[in-house]
Amino acid sequence: MFLLYQPKAQNNHGSPFPSPKSFPSPKSGEPKPHLNPPPPPPATPTAATMRRHLDLLPRLLLRRHIHRRAKPSTTPPLPPPPNPPRPPQKPEPVTIHGETWQDSYAWMGSLADAAAMRHMDVHMEAEEKYAEACLAAAGADRLARKLQLEMASRLASEACTTPARWGPWLYYRRADEGKQYPVLCRRSAALHGEFVSYSDPSAGFDFTAGKRIEQKLVDYNKEAERFGGYSYEELSEVSPDHRYIAYTMYDKDKDSFTLLVRDLVTGTLCDKPRADRVSNISWAMDGKALVYVVTNEDRRPYRLYCSIIGSGKDDILILEEPGENIYLNIRHTKDFRFITLNVFSDTHSKVYLIKGSDPLSRMTLVWEGESQVHCIVEHHHGRLYLFTDASRDGVRVNSHYLMQSDVESPGPKSWKDVFLEEPGIILEDVDFCSTHMVLILRQGRKLSLCSVNLPLPENIHVPAHLSDFHPSELPLPSHVCQILSGPNYDYYSSTMRFTISSPVMPDAVVDYNLLNGKWQIVQQQNMLHERTKVLYGNAFASSMGKLSSDGADLSSQDLGDCEWNELSEYYACEYYDVPSKDGVLIPLTLVYSRKHKQEGNPGLLHGHGAYGEILDKRWRSELKSLLDRGWVIAYADVRGGGGYGKEWHQDGARTKKMNSIYDFVSCGEFLLEKGIIQENKLAGWGYSAGGLLVASAINTRPDLFRAAVLKVPFLDVCNTLLHPILPLTAIDYEEFGFPVDHEEFLAIKKYSPYDNIQKDVPYPAVFVTSSFNTRFGVWEAAKWVAKVRELTQYDPERPVILNLTTDVVEESKYLETKELATETAFLIKMVNNT
């Protein structure tokens, strides 16, 4: 399938299961736009531990209730606000383009300076104590404990992923009782199909064979023993004959990913290939050979190898790219007929075709274009399809488009458009199976999902209007904000899976039968149940619990129709177009509780605006704690983000980055002017590059916000781009600018949060989270926090807090809930206590 963006490490089509780090299973399509993933965290609380926490909730709540009835409420007085830490200032000059300035906290990023790091350790300990004292002084610590109980009760209880069918097998991951990491399993889709359920696919026993139906493939708890206590998988691919699985595990001693191949019949590891620093894998020769890419010490993918499984010979080097700005990436087509090799550099992009039946034969150049473009090639019944956003005849395009070529005569000049351009319609993504292509389309805010029969009719000459192909529109709920193609490993099945997201509906994993248009929700997270009653929202469809499988192809199933399990009867979703500083209209989405909405509510404004990535507006159960307390949740789709074409992205990047900041400020001003949010009760929220957006907006209008949460933010932009401590990619510079260029340097200096803090001005309360294993180093957050405290007016009622999280937070729902509860308590106390 064609995947536009990949924020995290992702698997190829052949991987019929999610990674153990997080259950959803993305796929790889192009080089990663961000830095390599950090080393994995240590062991985290088990699923059983989390379940025990949830089981204790009723008793804990009852005990607290009895305690309150037995004794009068005597809340102890809050401690006085503490004084913030004051790290030492050691000014260091920074000079470029004839301009010199002093950076008083540059020492915080001097990782090679042992003395500086000792100072940093002392300072981080002081920050930790200050954060605890500030939360206690505001009463946020007690509120956080209450919120954690609320949020924990909404955690999804499923300890198993939704089974994904591929050929005769159902693949899934599940957690064993008392174990830290999941186990990858499969079972025959035809055997005792009446026992297969989405919540417990391992149920059942084969009495004829005298063994369990389930087959364990990879136990990641045992992998943790092999790799020093860590179990972090980046890539995984089952061979098309279902005989082997190739996967990469993080080796902390080597600080790289090691390639392993396991025989699924015997359960043993193959002697070869065994390679380090592997970034991509694809099966060839129907599972008899594995093609993989290796990175150099700078983590640049530069070598392409082929390993013949079971052979004693060394792996064969197919290609090596010595150029330091050239990157290799591979993926197989969904029918395994070909492997596509993408070669990217800062000057060009090329796609080569490698025969899956003979990977050592001469590769064929099928497409080439300019640098920094997205291009994916797929194969279907003798035709190649190219999904790209490359320029046409040197003219930039605003969105992706689809082209086709004959596989017998491929070449850069052989491509023809499939669809005529439709004004206002953006093609966001495409996925293929043997009988259909499915298109994800956007027109303004509206998303749609439609299928087109394949092969395309011979009597229709391309390019043609989409309507000429008589597309079938697939059902969707109201207020859809995102559609993601699911694993869809089985190319020969006409049932395709998609994840449907909405601001007022928990994510729904939906199977669509493309032959008859029927659909079924197979999984929906974050729903709160009490026996058979859903405590909020409409009832689940009766067909959700079981997967009907009689051994036939899933495409023959009559999935039936069901109702969308929306929460719109309780929570409203509204849309506005807000004029920015230059008059451009910015889409603004609001979500609020129908029961608690009133004029002048407190509110939280989310923003991101970078890398052309779509702002996450999905329903998240933790936000229910704010919504039910009368908060309005707002999402500003500022320029620099995605969903509205390439021009929208480019108008908020590099020298135009200030546009995204003005957009965010304008949305905040709109909320106050219209009385949607009460003055002095607006908070901001940003993650990573979104933290840059919110911090810059605070610098621009510190009086607009009462509080903010910045999660692992990018704050010291100018210094990081000039002297990167962690390696940056060309895409990072394309996004934020090249400081060696004088014009772009001036633009960076204008928006960089660290360089534009206003002096002697009151700032809002800010909660900054970071850790030592983040995309943007902890020193960036520490420097910004120290400088804000140094320059702005000190107000103990508006603390600026640096919160260091443990590296296991993303690995543990329990710890993640604790962090979210702390952030939410901070916002409530800072905003409601005004």
Side-chain angles (χ1 to χ4, degrees):
M1 108 132 274
F2 296 153
L3 190 67
L4 266 75
Y5 304 108
Q6 46 178 20
K8 293 187 179 180
Q10 306 193 356
N11 300 333
N12 288 338
H13 294 294
S15 170
F17 36 82
S19 68
K21 181 178 179 182
S22 60
F23 278 154
S25 175
K27 306 178 282 295
S28 86
E30 59 182 334
K32 302 177 183 65
H34 304 305
L35 304 181
N36 289 312
T44 62
T46 64
T49 304
M50 287 189 283
R51 282 194 291 268
R52 285 196 295 270
H53 280 287
L54 296 181
D55 293 340
L56 283 173
L57 287 176
R59 281 177 283 171
L60 289 173
L61 293 173
L62 178 62
R63 188 179 304 165
R64 292 174 62 194
H65 177 68
I66 295 173
H67 179 73
R68 284 198 299 267
R69 295 187 60 180
K71 294 182 180 180
S73 177
T74 55
T75 303
L78 298 176
N83 292 320
R86 298 289 183 183
Q89 298 185 32
K90 303 175 183 179
E92 294 183 16
V94 181
T95 301
I96 188 173
H97 300 299
E99 184 175 337
T100 300
W101 66 94
Q102 300 291 328
D103 185 356
S104 298
Y105 303 104
W107 62 269
M108 291 185 176
S110 302
L111 304 186
D113 187 334
M117 290 301 96
R118 285 195 295 270
H119 281 295
M120 192 64 169
D121 287 341
V122 172
H123 179 58
M124 290 298 99
E125 185 176 348
E127 289 285 5
E128 184 177 6
K129 293 179 179 178
Y130 176 72
E132 293 176 356
C134 278
L135 295 173
D141 55 343
R142 290 198 293 264
L143 178 58
R145 289 191 288 271
K146 178 182 178 181
L147 290 170
Q148 189 175 5
L149 291 175
E150 288 182 17
M151 295 177 181
S153 66
R154 304 184 201 120
L155 285 177
S157 59
E158 293 88 354
C160 181
T161 62
T162 308
R165 178 158 181 175
W166 183 18
W169 298 97
L170 291 169
Y171 290 88
Y172 54 93
R173 294 180 189 269
R174 64 173 180 80
D176 275 336
E177 185 75 20
K179 294 296 182 66
Q180 174 60 51
Y181 297 103
V183 180
L184 171 64
C185 305
R186 71 180 179 188
R187 58 166 293 164
S188 171
L191 187 59
H192 296 296
E194 65 273 16
F195 290 110
V196 181
S197 75
Y198 286 106
S199 60
D200 190 14
S202 63
F205 189 83
D206 185 357
F207 292 98
T208 303
K211 60 182 180 182
R212 290 177 61 88
I213 290 176
E214 180 181 80
Q215 178 186 355
K216 289 186 178 181
L217 305 181
V218 181
D219 187 338
Y220 293 98
N221 298 284
K222 294 181 179 178
E223 295 297 334
E225 297 174 4
R226 178 180 291 109
F227 290 98
Y230 292 102
S231 186
Y232 183 95
E233 177 190 80
E234 185 180 39
L235 305 170
S236 51
E237 287 260 5
V238 170
S239 62
D241 61 355
H242 304 273
R243 171 67 188 270
Y244 301 99
I245 179 174
Y247 57 107
T248 60
M249 300 295 299
Y250 180 76
D251 189 326
K252 67 173 184 178
D253 294 329
K254 299 176 182 177
D255 191 23
S256 66
F257 287 90
T258 297
L259 173 63
L260 304 170
V261 175
R262 185 177 294 275
D263 188 325
L264 299 183
V265 175
T266 64
T268 59
L269 288 173
C270 299
D271 293 333
K272 59 181 289 293
R274 294 282 183 94
D276 295 325
R277 302 199 305 264
V278 174
S279 62
N280 280 125
I281 52 178
S282 287
W283 285 100
M285 297 171 59
D286 293 325
K288 298 180 179 64
L290 183 70
V291 180
Y292 61 93
V293 177
V294 171
T295 67
N296 62 7
E297 293 182 355
D298 294 328
R299 301 185 180 181
R300 177 180 67 86
Y302 78 121
R303 283 180 178 171
L304 181 66
Y305 285 94
C306 179
S307 176
I308 307 299
I309 305 300
S311 169
K313 297 181 180 179
D314 292 339
D315 295 348
I316 301 167
L317 178 63
I318 300 177
L319 176 68
E320 179 174 359
E321 284 289 355
E324 62 180 22
N325 292 322
I326 300 178
Y327 300 80
L328 305 181
N329 186 76
I330 59 172
R331 65 179 293 277
H332 61 74
T333 57
K334 295 189 72 173
D335 60 0
F336 286 93
R337 292 285 300 278
F338 298 97
I339 294 174
T340 60
L341 168 65
N342 289 51
V343 181
F344 297 92
S345 76
D346 52 4
T347 60
H348 66 267
S349 301
K350 296 181 179 181
V351 181
Y352 294 87
L353 212 60
I354 301 174
K355 290 183 180 180
S357 59
D358 187 7
L360 300 180
S361 63
R362 182 182 178 86
M363 63 182 69
T364 304
L365 176 66
V366 295
W367 184 86
E368 60 182 331
E370 74 271 23
S371 64
Q372 307 300 331
V373 295
H374 178 267
C375 45
I376 295 294
V377 172
E378 191 55 80
H379 173 257
H380 183 277
H381 292 205
R383 289 197 179 274
L384 298 175
Y385 288 88
L386 172 69
F387 182 64
T388 184
D389 60 354
S391 300
R392 296 177 183 268
D393 300 322
V395 179
R396 286 188 174 185
V397 298
N398 191 39
S399 61
H400 286 71
Y401 54 93
L402 188 67
M403 305 182 80
Q404 71 173 19
S405 173
D406 195 320
V407 74
E408 297 299 331
S409 56
K413 304 298 183 181
S414 65
W415 296 95
K416 295 181 180 180
D417 283 300
V418 176
F419 304 116
L420 290 170
E421 187 174 351
E422 307 276 358
I425 296 180
I426 292 175
L427 178 59
E428 288 212 332
D429 209 348
V430 185
D431 203 351
F432 284 83
C433 68
S434 62
T435 59
H436 293 79
M437 73 166 72
V438 179
L439 312 177
I440 302 176
L441 303 171
R442 178 186 289 273
Q443 188 171 15
R445 287 188 175 94
K446 183 181 179 182
L447 285 167
S448 59
L449 191 65
C450 68
S451 64
V452 175
N453 290 344
L454 289 178
L456 298 177
E458 294 291 341
N459 62 334
I460 299 179
H461 299 286
V462 297
H465 291 286
L466 174 60
S467 59
D468 295 336
F469 297 98
H470 305 291
S472 299
E473 190 161 345
L474 302 177
L476 291 173
S478 56
H479 306 299
V480 176
C481 65
Q482 190 175 53
I483 303 173
L484 293 178
S485 185
N488 298 326
Y489 310 110
D490 199 334
Y491 173 73
Y492 298 100
S493 170
S494 293
T495 296
M496 298 188 72
R497 181 169 293 177
F498 293 85
T499 299
I500 312 299
S501 299
S502 164
V504 288
M505 182 189 77
D507 284 359
V509 180
V510 184
D511 281 354
Y512 291 94
N513 187 324
L514 304 180
L515 296 179
N516 57 25
K518 299 293 185 178
W519 59 282
Q520 178 187 22
I521 298 176
V522 296
Q523 188 182 62
Q524 197 161 23
Q525 298 289 338
N526 296 329
M527 298 306 297
L528 182 62
H529 294 78
E530 185 179 76
R531 299 183 184 272
T532 58
K533 180 183 177 183
V534 181
L535 297 187
Y536 62 92
N538 298 320
F540 273 103
S542 59
S543 58
M544 265 192 79
K546 297 250 180 163
L547 168 62
S548 174
S549 175
D550 55 3
D553 184 0
L554 280 175
S555 62
S556 67
Q557 293 180 35
D558 185 2
L559 295 179
D561 285 338
C562 52
E563 295 181 358
W564 295 104
N565 193 43
E566 292 185 283
L567 306 176
S568 53
E569 59 186 295
Y570 302 105
Y571 302 98
C573 184
E574 296 180 357
Y575 304 99
Y576 297 89
D577 291 313
V578 179
S580 188
K581 184 177 181 179
D582 56 1
V584 174
L585 296 179
I586 309 304
L588 180 67
T589 303
L590 302 185
V591 180
Y592 59 86
S593 168
R594 296 184 185 275
K595 180 179 179 181
H596 299 96
K597 179 68 170 68
Q598 59 188 18
E599 188 172 338
N601 292 56
L604 181 63
L605 180 60
H606 290 248
H608 186 68
Y611 294 106
E613 294 172 348
I614 296 174
L615 178 64
D616 185 3
K617 299 187 285 289
R618 298 173 300 160
W619 169 267
R620 297 201 301 275
S621 63
E622 66 270 14
L623 292 179
K624 186 176 186 294
S625 295
L626 286 176
L627 292 168
D628 291 351
R629 286 171 170 82
W631 283 59
V632 175
I633 308 298
Y635 301 93
D637 279 299
V638 302
R639 283 171 285 183
Y644 298 92
K646 291 182 68 175
E647 290 181 6
W648 190 263
H649 168 215
Q650 292 161 357
D651 282 347
R654 296 178 71 169
T655 58
K656 299 180 179 180
K657 187 61 186 174
M658 282 302 300
N659 282 340
S660 62
I661 298 160
Y662 292 141
D663 295 349
F664 193 78
V665 170
S666 297
C667 288
E669 292 172 341
F670 175 86
L671 293 170
L672 300 186
E673 291 169 1
K674 297 299 181 181
I676 298 171
I677 292 176
Q678 184 177 331
E679 189 173 352
N680 206 31
K681 287 188 178 293
L682 174 64
W685 192 97
Y687 173 81
S688 190
L692 180 157
L693 173 73
V694 177
S696 296
I698 290 173
N699 286 340
T700 305
R701 282 289 310 277
D703 60 310
L704 185 63
F705 302 93
R706 181 61 181 85
V709 171
L710 310 180
K711 292 180 69 73
V712 291
F714 185 24
L715 298 171
D716 190 11
V717 183
C718 193
N719 286 319
T720 297
L721 295 178
L722 279 172
H723 309 292
I725 298 173
L726 299 175
L728 299 176
T729 67
I731 293 178
D732 294 312
Y733 287 101
E734 286 286 343
E735 184 65 33
F736 300 109
F738 294 83
V740 293
D741 178 272
H742 186 244
E743 181 185 359
E744 298 198 15
F745 163 74
L746 295 177
I748 294 168
K749 283 284 287 184
K750 187 176 181 180
Y751 75 77
S752 174
Y754 182 66
D755 299 296
N756 291 279
I757 299 168
Q758 295 194 34
K759 192 173 183 179
D760 298 327
V761 171
Y763 261 44
V766 186
F767 193 82
V768 186
T769 66
S770 188
S771 76
F772 288 97
N773 280 333
T774 61
R775 167 159 161 69
F776 301 113
V778 67
W779 52 88
E780 292 212 9
K783 290 175 65 176
W784 186 83
V785 166
K787 195 170 181 180
V788 168
R789 292 176 185 154
E790 173 196 346
L791 296 180
T792 63
Q793 281 187 14
Y794 172 69
D795 183 352
E797 301 298 322
R798 299 187 177 199
V800 178
I801 297 174
L802 176 59
N803 180 54
L804 291 178
T805 64
T806 61
D807 299 330
V808 301
V809 167
E810 291 186 359
E811 302 294 316
S812 165
K813 285 293 182 183
Y814 178 78
L815 291 179
E816 185 180 358
T817 302
K818 182 178 180 181
E819 181 181 329
L820 291 169
T822 302
E823 294 169 3
T824 304
F826 173 83
L827 290 173
I828 291 174
K829 287 298 183 180
M830 293 300 107
V831 171
N832 289 357
N833 288 351
T834 56

